[in-house]
Amino acid sequence: MAHRTSRTNLIYRFCLYGFLKNQRYFAPFWILAFLDKGLSFATIGILIGFREISVALLEIPTGAVADTVGRRWAMIFSHVAYVAAFLTFGFTTSLYALFVAMFAFSIGEAFRTGTHKAIIFAWLKSQGREKEKTQIYGITRSWSQMGSAISVIIAAALVFWLENYTVIFWISAVPAALNIFNFLSYPSSLDFAGDKKPQRMEAMLSLWQATLSCFTSKNLRRPISESMAYEGMYGASKDYLQPLLQSVALAMPLFTAWENTQRTAILIAVVYAVLYVLGSFASRYSGPIALYLGNEQKAARYLWAAYGGTFALLLLGTITHWSILAIGSFIVLAVMQNIWRPILVSRVADEADEHAMATVLSVESQAKSLGVSLLAPLIGFAIDRMPTEYQLTPIAILGMAIALVALLTSPKLPSPDQAEAGSQGSDPS
């Protein structure tokens, strides 16, 4: 009974990590905060691209560090870097200092992404619960989304009250610091996948083999390339919901007695709270959704089709100036991403070696970062050159094109009869 309680408490701590991690009060105002500092969309795109390139360059080595020096300590260092980044974002208006802060943020992202998922999956395997990967990761991710829903309400209240975006960066450092104490409560057995810390040469060989497998293994190469396209496009475009909401807030005949920043804060709070709550439920039920659609592979194809269709709705909403449809499209994209992410990570984890899990998941996250780094500056430059009322058109067209390519290149899945025949013909040993 005590052992079962201990296992449950550890899942609670995994969920607490996600909840605290997403107390990023600047996230719903990220683009607006940079615009307030005098940056153009193109400069913001370059800054985001710099962040993602930095993450991509650091991703694999930090994953290897996590697999060798200990995954808990990698997570602790990650959140120390976050605290430094958030404080710098809040205190500076210098573009050079913003790049320094973004690099610190990239260090935090690089040490975090892949590492905590590796902790969860290694623990599930040690408990004989490997088949629950999608479900458990979906639950922890749902808590992340609930954390985001609460954080946007807190952030909007602060912006409404102070009419300033600076404080939301400072406040974001607090939950990041609290998460450090959460990691210290994790059992030391979660530091490594095996029984002992690997030697340096063994670690380098493991890093090389794990990285190479991501390119040579067809079963790994496909989901990683899909991550680069799907997550890259979503990551590069999702924050443009913020200026859309700002324009809608300023055009509304309601709350005219309030300042523009206050009206924007209220609308962002409402829309993002809905977005995050729906995302939380979507993530929680990603496992059952994948089972309902057949398996993770089939679910991915359905999601790609829905992805392209949603960008088509965004294009329609932009062309017709029907802002509600455009806003709804961003919300649907966020909901689908929260279904997609656990399914994608499960597909990668199924093909990865347990001892190099953090490295392989870091390669996947690196591919995602590379996608964002390529697309973010492109989107930023395109938006700067579009008429204000049609600024979202490049996002919609590019999203539709990426979805179409993914569907056209998607491998055909075996029918149920073929799959059954294949399994009967294989050697169970």
Side-chain angles (χ1 to χ4, degrees):
M1 182 68 176
H3 181 62
R4 185 173 183 179
T5 303
S6 175
R7 291 188 302 176
T8 304
N9 288 338
L10 195 52
I11 293 178
Y12 287 154
R13 275 175 273 175
F14 292 158
C15 293
L16 178 61
Y17 151 75
F19 182 86
L20 290 173
K21 185 253 306 176
N22 277 29
Q23 296 300 301
R24 295 180 173 180
Y25 306 111
F26 60 86
F29 299 94
W30 185 283
I31 298 291
L32 299 180
F34 284 147
L35 291 173
D36 192 55
K37 290 178 183 288
L39 277 62
S40 67
F41 283 114
T43 305
I44 293 171
I46 292 172
L47 195 60
I48 293 173
F50 169 77
R51 178 192 71 195
E52 298 302 324
I53 288 174
S54 299
V55 171
L57 292 175
L58 294 168
E59 198 81 61
I60 295 178
T62 53
V65 169
D67 282 330
T68 54
V69 305
R71 294 168 180 174
R72 287 184 311 143
W73 292 106
M75 294 300 297
I76 289 170
F77 183 75
S78 162
H79 283 65
V80 170
Y82 280 143
V83 171
F86 298 156
L87 293 178
T88 307
F89 277 130
F91 279 110
T92 189
T93 56
S94 164
L95 181 60
Y96 296 108
L98 288 175
F99 272 98
V100 172
M102 197 61 92
F103 184 72
F105 184 83
S106 302
I107 292 174
E109 290 287 276
F111 270 95
R112 179 188 63 81
T113 54
T115 304
H116 199 266
K117 290 187 284 290
I119 290 175
I120 295 174
F121 295 152
W123 178 78
L124 286 173
K125 183 165 186 177
S126 71
Q127 302 296 314
R129 302 170 66 180
E130 299 98 318
K131 294 183 179 179
E132 299 179 49
K133 284 194 297 292
T134 302
Q135 179 184 355
I136 297 297
Y137 179 56
I139 291 173
T140 60
R141 187 176 173 82
S142 76
W143 275 96
S144 299
Q145 294 301 302
M146 290 300 285
S148 295
I150 292 173
S151 73
V152 72
I153 295 172
I154 296 173
L158 290 170
V159 172
F160 182 88
W161 179 35
L162 300 173
E163 298 183 47
N164 188 288
Y165 296 116
T166 300
V167 70
I168 57 180
F169 288 110
W170 296 340
I171 300 273
S172 298
V174 176
L178 290 176
N179 231 345
I180 293 173
F181 294 98
N182 183 37
F183 298 133
L184 290 172
S185 73
Y186 283 23
S188 59
S189 59
L190 296 177
D191 271 329
F192 306 105
D195 297 328
K196 61 179 181 178
K197 177 180 175 180
Q199 298 300 313
R200 181 177 298 179
M201 289 305 297
E202 179 186 349
M204 293 301 295
L205 179 61
S206 174
L207 168 62
W208 169 251
Q209 291 175 338
T211 304
L212 190 64
S213 70
C214 295
F215 300 97
T216 58
S217 169
K218 182 179 180 181
N219 291 338
L220 272 176
R221 190 169 61 243
R222 177 68 196 187
I224 288 175
S225 62
E226 286 187 25
S227 176
M228 179 178 177
Y230 194 109
E231 302 276 4
M233 184 62 205
Y234 177 75
S237 62
K238 64 183 177 67
D239 289 331
Y240 287 98
L241 173 60
Q242 296 166 22
L244 172 61
L245 290 174
Q246 183 182 55
S247 65
V248 171
L250 300 185
M252 290 174 64
L254 301 175
F255 314 121
T256 53
W258 291 343
E259 295 296 326
N260 292 344
T261 303
Q262 293 177 312
R263 295 162 67 185
T264 301
I266 291 295
L267 187 57
I268 283 181
V270 172
V271 172
Y272 270 82
V274 171
L275 182 154
Y276 288 134
V277 169
L278 291 177
S280 174
F281 282 105
S283 187
R284 180 177 290 271
Y285 292 104
S286 57
I289 289 171
L291 289 175
Y292 176 78
L293 295 176
N295 53 44
E296 279 85 359
Q297 302 283 350
K298 292 181 179 179
R301 295 188 67 175
Y302 282 113
L303 286 170
W304 270 117
Y307 193 68
T310 306
F311 276 111
L313 291 178
L314 176 60
L315 180 62
L316 179 62
T318 303
I319 293 174
T320 61
H321 307 300
W322 194 8
S323 299
I324 297 299
L325 181 58
I327 292 171
S329 300
F330 276 105
I331 293 175
V332 172
L333 285 171
V335 170
M336 288 194 300
Q337 195 268 344
N338 281 285
I339 300 172
W340 166 271
R341 189 66 188 156
I343 291 173
L344 185 280
V345 169
S346 181
R347 289 169 62 195
V348 173
D350 283 341
E351 304 297 333
D353 179 78
E354 177 197 0
H355 296 275
M357 184 77 73
T359 303
V360 172
L361 290 173
S362 291
V363 172
E364 179 274 323
S365 190
Q366 184 189 45
K368 176 183 67 175
S369 298
L370 182 59
V372 177
S373 68
L374 294 173
L375 294 171
L378 177 63
I379 290 174
F381 279 109
I383 288 178
D384 268 342
R385 284 154 180 76
M386 292 294 293
T388 303
E389 63 270 25
Y390 297 110
Q391 282 184 327
L392 298 178
T393 303
I395 294 176
I397 293 175
L398 189 56
M400 292 166 59
I402 289 173
L404 181 61
V405 170
L407 287 170
L408 291 177
T409 59
S410 178
K412 291 184 178 181
L413 297 174
S415 65
D417 292 339
Q418 290 174 326
E420 184 178 354
S423 63
Q424 290 175 350
S426 62
D427 185 358
S429 62

